Amino acid sequence: MRFPGFARRLPWLVLASLALFPLLAPALGLEYYVGFVRRLLIVAIAASSLNFILGYGGMAALGHAGFIGVGAYAVVALVEAGFSSAWLAWGAALAVAGVFAALIGAVSLRTRGVYFIMITLAFAQMLYYLAVSLRTYGGDDGYGLYTPLRLGAWLDGAHPDVFYWVVLAIAALVFAGFSRVAHSRYGHALRGIRDNETRMVALGYPVYRLKLAGFVAAGAVAGLAGGLLASHNAFVSPSMMHWTQSALLLVMVMLGGLGRRWGAPLGVALWLTLEEVLKMHTDYWHWPLGMLLLLVVFHAPQGLAALFERRGGQEGVR
């Protein structure tokens, strides 16, 4: 790289800047954007889980938003039952989404190519219509979380933006965890399956189990993102698991760069920021975003993260 020291410190600089943002925002008149950045971090968690199975495992799932919805409704179920602990709710979101991912993956991973895409889409739409039918939790109208979940006696009153820092810490752990796993022996095996599954089978790798493990992990993390999103919005509705949300996650991951360490966060940050800015100036904000996607497809087909890596002199490094 041209500046290897700076490149190594850049993630820490970004993390420090994000951590300081709620403290600086009032002085800059940017209090609204604390919530926006928090939402951006939650969506980046979900996108990173999709990038893990798609970019590293080659599993093009078009139903990933279904797991986000499962996690969100797990939080709703606990709130309806009278529980108020945020940690319990988010843990339940992680676990329940992981169980659903195991059940769906056990069936879906027996298919390949376009059939895998369609069956994951079908399962996600089944979950969507199941949520619509749950009148106890608001059905199609959704469910409002009118009482904030409790983080704990000392955290609840520590600072108005303590939830922001909790989300930031979880996001940092998720990004670091996926990065570490991607460069482990398991991650290399998963990439080998993506590149040539037949060869990996011939070499004796338990391909199905390796793919299922990755699918379950990604689904569980997406469920955690759903639980955090439920707390952020204080509202849950079936629309958050519609197939269009899964497609949007795919677009953001592809925009940032499939299988790139910072591809998913970069794609989410760019897409949501441009969406927020364009909405303030025009009702036709979809057009510029569509043009951006076309430009990336033609001029940076491996994503913006890959483009930056090439300019930094580390082409092909993931």
Side-chain angles (χ1 to χ4, degrees):
M1 279 195 66
R2 211 166 292 166
F3 305 104
F6 177 75
R8 286 193 298 268
R9 295 188 184 95
L10 183 58
W12 295 103
L13 292 173
V14 172
L15 181 61
S17 299
L18 290 172
L20 291 173
F21 181 64
L23 301 176
L24 301 175
L28 301 173
L30 300 174
E31 294 95 332
Y32 164 78
Y33 290 99
V34 174
F36 170 75
V37 175
R38 186 173 63 199
R39 173 173 167 262
L40 189 152
L41 289 169
I42 294 171
V43 177
I45 292 172
S48 294
S49 67
L50 178 59
N51 183 48
F52 181 70
I53 58 171
L54 177 57
Y56 294 104
M59 293 173 268
L62 192 54
H64 209 62
F67 302 126
I68 297 175
V70 167
Y73 274 94
V75 171
V76 166
L78 285 178
V79 170
E80 182 70 16
F83 294 94
S84 61
S85 170
W87 305 108
L88 176 63
W90 299 336
L94 182 83
V96 173
V99 170
F100 271 84
L103 296 174
I104 292 173
V107 177
S108 302
L109 290 172
R110 299 185 186 279
T111 62
R112 300 288 184 275
V114 68
Y115 300 105
F116 178 77
I117 296 174
M118 296 307 296
I119 198 169
T120 53
L121 170 62
F123 274 119
Q125 286 302 98
M126 288 169 61
L127 292 173
Y128 167 77
Y129 287 112
L130 175 63
V132 170
S133 68
L134 294 175
R135 297 301 175 190
T136 305
Y137 303 136
D140 198 31
D141 295 326
Y143 186 97
L145 301 172
Y146 301 110
T147 304
L149 295 174
R150 297 182 60 82
L151 293 167
W154 66 277
L155 281 175
D156 286 324
H159 193 277
D161 293 313
V162 67
F163 181 39
Y164 172 96
W165 286 308
V166 169
V167 170
L168 177 60
I170 292 174
L173 289 173
V174 168
F175 300 152
F178 276 134
S179 178
R180 190 170 183 84
V181 171
H183 291 84
S184 67
R185 292 178 61 186
Y186 171 76
H188 287 296
L190 203 59
R191 277 185 279 187
I193 295 170
R194 175 198 65 190
D195 295 336
N196 195 324
E197 185 172 333
T198 304
R199 181 179 296 173
M200 296 299 285
V201 171
L203 289 172
Y205 283 86
V207 168
Y208 176 78
R209 282 185 290 167
L210 291 173
K211 291 174 70 175
L212 182 60
F215 192 85
V216 171
V221 172
L224 173 60
L228 293 171
L229 195 60
S231 298
H232 169 79
N233 293 332
F235 181 77
V236 174
S237 74
S239 62
M240 68 192 308
M241 63 174 76
H242 195 263
W243 74 267
T244 52
Q245 299 303 310
S246 298
L248 182 57
L249 274 179
L250 273 172
V251 168
M252 289 188 284
V253 170
M254 294 175 66
L255 179 64
L258 287 174
R260 303 284 169 174
R261 181 181 300 178
W262 303 109
L266 180 61
V268 170
L270 181 61
W271 186 273
L272 293 184
T273 301
L274 286 176
E275 179 183 314
E276 187 72 18
V277 171
L278 291 170
K279 279 182 177 179
M280 294 189 296
H281 296 91
T282 176
D283 292 332
Y284 305 101
W285 54 271
H286 302 84
W287 285 87
L289 286 176
M291 292 300 296
L292 170 66
L293 190 59
L294 286 174
L295 287 172
V296 171
V297 167
F298 286 112
H299 297 286
Q302 293 183 322
L304 295 176
L307 184 65
F308 294 145
E309 287 173 4
R310 284 201 299 271
R311 292 188 174 183
Q314 53 172 349
E315 184 173 3
V317 176
R318 299 190 180 189

